Amino acid sequence: MGQPRMRHRKGIALLPLGHSDYEQTLRGLAQWYELSAACSGCGRTVPVDRYEMRRRFGENKKVGTLASKLVCSGCGNRVGNKLLIGMMPRD
Ligand SMILES: [Zn+2]
């Protein structure tokens, strides 16, 4: 009661890079996965809208190929960023 329902990012489980699901396309990626971008410049990790990514880059792009397209919204860095697959815990 009282608190608005929010998703808590710290509960998210990130798949390690190299996991086979990074070979999935934006279309093929399982519904329960979310994407997060990790910046190598400022260290922040922010949620990424997978449907926005799909609109911008196409549904047949593999998740593992998109990291180089990320630009950090915090510091503007575009080098060495990572795109990570995360899984929300079940309610
Ligand atoms: Zn940054």
Side-chain angles (χ1 to χ4, degrees), residues 2-46:
Q3 295 281 18
R5 289 179 66 96
M6 290 183 63
R7 292 179 156 195
H8 293 278
R9 301 299 300 180
K10 63 184 175 185
I12 203 165
L14 295 170
L15 296 187
L17 286 171
H19 188 282
S20 60
D21 280 341
Y22 286 96
E23 294 296 309
Q24 290 284 352
T25 62
L26 289 170
R27 180 182 55 192
L29 191 67
Q31 258 185 14
W32 54 83
Y33 283 147
E34 302 194 351
L35 298 176
S36 292
C39 175
S40 71
C42 65
R44 71 170 66 191
T45 301
V46 296

Side-chain angles (χ1 to χ4, degrees), residues 49-65:
D49 184 340
R50 55 182 288 187
Y51 300 102
E52 168 79 20
M53 296 290 280
R54 194 163 103 170
R55 279 195 298 276
R56 288 180 63 174
F57 302 118
E59 61 182 10
N60 293 319
K61 277 278 190 296
K62 289 182 181 176
V63 173
T65 67

Side-chain angles (χ1 to χ4, degrees), residues 39-44 72-77 81:
C39 175
S40 71
C42 65
R44 71 170 66 191
C72 178
S73 58
C75 70
N77 172 58
N81 297 331

